[in-house]
Amino acid sequence: MLAAAGLFRRLGTNVPPSQPTTLIATTGPYRWTRNPMYLGMALVYASLTIGFDEPIAFALLPLVLIAIQTQVIAREERYLEAKFGDDYRRYKTEVRRWL
């Protein structure tokens, strides 16, 4: 998660999803997953629920991931396709959404 944010800073693009993207990151963790920050957050969430022995919170993780997928990632992907067109569509065919 931090590596992905650091890569964005080094590349000169915005980290917050509410700000415009200036390029498609395809290096670093973006070689293996299109969403390393969300993946990192999900892993931290899962780790905390296991560490604090919260099975109900852990059981809710799939719902959290579905919400992120449908409400956040889908919107971001539409934006990236509209902005970068074939370059982003090509990237989508080469790199999986999660892993």
Side-chain angles (χ1 to χ4, degrees):
M1 190 168 65
L2 295 174
L7 176 65
F8 270 30
R9 285 188 196 93
R10 284 191 305 281
L11 293 173
T13 192
N14 295 308
V15 176
S18 60
Q19 295 180 353
T21 300
T22 59
L23 55 84
I24 304 168
T26 59
T27 60
Y30 288 90
R31 291 177 293 190
W32 303 291
T33 173
R34 294 195 316 259
N35 297 291
M37 290 186 218
Y38 296 125
L39 180 60
M41 287 184 238
L43 292 173
V44 167
Y45 177 95
S47 299
L48 289 172
T49 63
I50 292 168
F52 288 110
D53 193 26
E54 294 291 338
I56 294 172
F58 185 77
L60 292 174
L61 180 57
L63 295 176
V64 171
L65 294 176
I66 289 169
I68 289 170
Q69 174 62 45
T70 59
Q71 302 304 308
V72 180
I73 293 173
R75 181 174 27 118
E76 288 178 0
E77 288 188 340
R78 284 191 302 272
Y79 165 77
L80 293 169
E81 268 193 52
K83 183 163 187 166
F84 299 106
D86 288 338
D87 288 338
Y88 185 70
R89 283 188 280 279
R90 188 172 23 264
Y91 174 66
K92 279 176 55 174
T93 65
E94 296 170 359
V95 178
R96 291 180 170 196
R97 179 175 286 130
W98 293 100
L99 276 181

